[in-house]
Amino acid sequence: MKKLVTGILAHVDAGKTTLSEGILYLTGKIRKLGRVDHKDAYLDTYELERERGITIFSKQAVFKLGDMEVTLLDTPGHIDFSAEMERTLQVLDYAVLVINGADGVQSHTMTLWRLLAQYKIPVFLFVNKMDQEGTDRENLLRELKQRLNTNCVDFSGDRDRYKLLEDVSVCDEELMEKYLETEKVSQEDIIRLVRERKIFPCYFGSALKMTGVKEFLEGMEQYCRPPRYPEEFRAKVFKISRDDQGNRLTYMKITGGVL
């Protein structure tokens, strides 16, 4: 089984835990959708989190995505718990950055973006709450390009295929030359650009209404690849906790290198 560690990050109230809930539901990890406001979200396990409606401690869940086993780390969005969030960045293969479509890029979003760049983590973006009045996809994409990176590319399924490939090709000089000659961009080309942080796929939807979440998961399955490790490697423990029976649980991530 190919293994992947993915973290989900956001400014507070962007809908990060709601998106996590939708992902776990669609992948069969949970049978019923919980809600933060109903205080029954799967990953908000602590009473204080359910009372306040925010994530305080990083949580993990494991689900299958195609032939990959994905460990999803749901991190705190509130700035008061940034240390807990940053601790998880050291073990991520990919990150999902959730943007509130009603508010756009917030100050804490910019902080998260800088940290993701510092740790060199490939990023997928999910622009949430697009069901709210006044949200505009084109304006939001323009803001993402201006404030985050010009290589934020709309990967929504309703886009013209040729326009999408054109937008992808201009993110890399070598690929642009290839595209001008053949008018083709392969899936492996996109996988490479995502991994090298030369492109940031953007998806738009509403996690609460489960719109765009399936499309987003399909995009992750297509364009994520687990890292390759040598025969001898090391691992980093990023969390130790106990389950309901008091058993000690140790969570670790293979980080490469020699023992």
Side-chain angles (χ1 to χ4, degrees):
M1 176 63 68
K2 301 174 182 177
K3 296 181 182 293
L4 195 71
V5 179
T6 300
I8 186 162
L9 303 90
H11 184 278
V12 68
D13 291 334
K16 172 180 51 60
T17 300
T18 305
L19 177 60
S20 300
E21 199 81 4
I23 289 172
L24 297 178
Y25 178 76
L26 287 176
T27 55
K29 177 67 178 180
I30 58 177
R31 295 185 179 182
K32 179 185 176 183
L33 280 169
R35 286 178 52 158
V36 173
D37 55 341
H38 291 174
K39 302 182 181 181
D40 61 355
Y42 177 81
L43 289 171
D44 281 347
T45 53
Y46 292 89
E47 190 61 35
L48 184 60
E49 293 177 313
R50 292 187 171 183
E51 284 179 11
R52 296 183 61 181
I54 60 173
T55 300
I56 298 174
F57 303 102
S58 296
K59 310 298 192 321
Q60 54 284 320
V62 179
F63 63 89
K64 300 285 183 63
L65 188 63
D67 63 348
M68 295 183 290
E69 180 183 274
V70 181
T71 299
L72 179 69
L73 302 181
D74 182 19
T75 65
H78 199 287
I79 194 169
D80 290 349
F81 309 109
S82 293
E84 176 77 7
M85 173 276 301
E86 189 171 353
R87 188 161 57 90
T88 66
L89 298 183
Q90 303 170 56
V91 299
L92 299 184
D93 297 314
Y94 291 85
V96 177
L97 183 60
V98 184
I99 308 291
N100 185 338
D103 296 332
V105 177
Q106 301 293 290
S107 59
H108 189 52
T109 310
M110 299 293 296
T111 301
L112 293 171
W113 187 259
R114 287 191 290 269
L115 286 169
L116 290 167
Q118 178 183 324
Y119 286 94
K120 301 178 181 179
I121 301 171
V123 183
F124 287 77
L125 293 101
F126 186 83
V127 184
N128 194 26
K129 303 190 179 185
M130 292 302 292
D131 56 315
Q132 294 192 11
E133 188 176 349
T135 55
D136 184 284
R137 192 166 93 181
E138 293 302 319
N139 286 340
L140 284 164
L141 183 63
R142 193 176 302 114
E143 183 181 11
L144 295 177
K145 288 178 175 290
Q146 290 174 349
R147 301 194 65 188
L148 300 184
N149 193 291
T150 55
N151 289 358
C152 290
V153 176
D154 185 358
F155 268 67
S156 302
D158 59 353
R159 289 205 65 200
D160 179 79
R161 181 66 179 173
Y162 289 104
K163 184 67 173 88
L164 172 61
L165 296 183
E166 190 177 289
D167 288 348
V168 168
S169 67
V170 299
C171 296
D172 180 71
E173 188 174 336
E174 180 183 334
L175 182 59
M176 184 169 63
E177 290 179 5
K178 173 185 172 181
Y179 180 72
L180 291 173
E181 291 177 5
T182 65
E183 294 189 350
K184 292 181 180 179
V185 173
S186 70
Q187 182 176 341
E188 290 302 318
D189 288 326
I190 298 175
I191 290 169
R192 175 180 64 84
L193 292 185
V194 172
R195 189 169 53 234
E196 294 177 357
R197 287 179 49 88
K198 292 182 177 179
I199 192 171
F200 304 95
C202 303
Y203 296 83
F204 295 79
S206 169
L208 186 62
K209 296 190 175 179
M210 293 295 288
T211 57
V213 181
K214 182 180 179 182
E215 183 181 61
F216 170 72
L217 275 174
E218 290 170 349
M220 287 199 68
E221 183 179 351
Q222 280 185 292
Y223 305 124
C224 284
R225 288 296 180 271
R228 296 178 180 177
Y229 299 110
E231 290 187 10
E232 293 185 329
F233 52 82
R234 62 190 177 201
K236 185 179 185 69
V237 174
F238 64 89
K239 189 177 181 69
I240 297 175
S241 63
R242 294 188 182 274
D243 62 16
D244 295 337
Q245 286 74 45
N247 299 311
R248 178 171 167 168
L249 304 174
T250 302
Y251 300 94
M252 62 180 65
K253 164 72 171 63
I254 298 171
T255 56
V258 180
L259 285 169

